[in-house]
């Protein structure tokens, strides 16, 4: 991520800019409105739209089989945190990637072992 990267919610397809979450449609409409009003300072909106569209265009889908008990546990945690379950799954995957086990397996895979 670059230094100018903004926070993106991939589940909702929105980006955080100037204190609010905006979709591609929101950003496009705001740029249109500003230009129509003669205000051509749309660089932050344009950058946000570019970052959002780039990331959303690169997303890949993945399916996972879970037991009902594990799924229920994730669903309860996600409901408690008021976030989509998919966001919690991504968080768990990212957590694993920071473990010594994952680092070891990555190292082994790179050296062909």
């Amino acid at each position: 991520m670059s230094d100018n990267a903004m926070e993106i919610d991939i589940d909702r397809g929105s980006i955080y800019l100037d204190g609010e979450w905006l979709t591609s449609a929101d950003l496009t409409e705001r740029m249109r409105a500003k230009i129509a009003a003669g205000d051509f300072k749309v660089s932050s909106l344009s950058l946000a739209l570019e970052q959002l569209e780039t990331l959303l265009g690169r997303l890949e889908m993945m399916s996972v089989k879970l037991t009902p008990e594990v799924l229920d546990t994730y669903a309860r945690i996600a409901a408690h945190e008021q976030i989509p379950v998919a966001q919690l799954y991504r968080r768990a995957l990212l957590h694993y990637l920071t473990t010594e086990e994952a680092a070891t397996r990555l190292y082994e895979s790179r050296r062909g072992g």
Side-chain angles (χ1 to χ4, degrees), residues 4-59:
N4 294 328
M6 297 173 199
E7 186 177 357
I8 296 176
D9 182 334
I10 61 177
D11 293 301
R12 293 178 179 93
S14 59
I15 190 165
Y16 194 73
L17 179 68
D18 297 332
E20 61 184 320
W21 289 98
L22 302 167
T23 65
S24 295
D26 297 331
L27 293 163
T28 302
E29 181 53 37
R30 290 200 182 180
M31 282 190 285
R32 274 193 201 121
K34 286 184 88 158
I35 290 170
D39 181 356
F40 299 100
K41 295 178 184 175
V42 295
S43 61
S44 64
L45 293 167
S46 178
L47 178 62
L49 181 59
E50 180 181 355
Q51 286 184 16
L52 180 60
E53 291 295 316
T54 298
L55 181 64
L56 293 179
R58 294 180 55 225
L59 294 178

Side-chain angles (χ1 to χ4, degrees), residues 30 36 65 88 101-102 112:
R30 290 200 182 180
K65 292 182 181 183
L88 193 59
E101 177 185 0

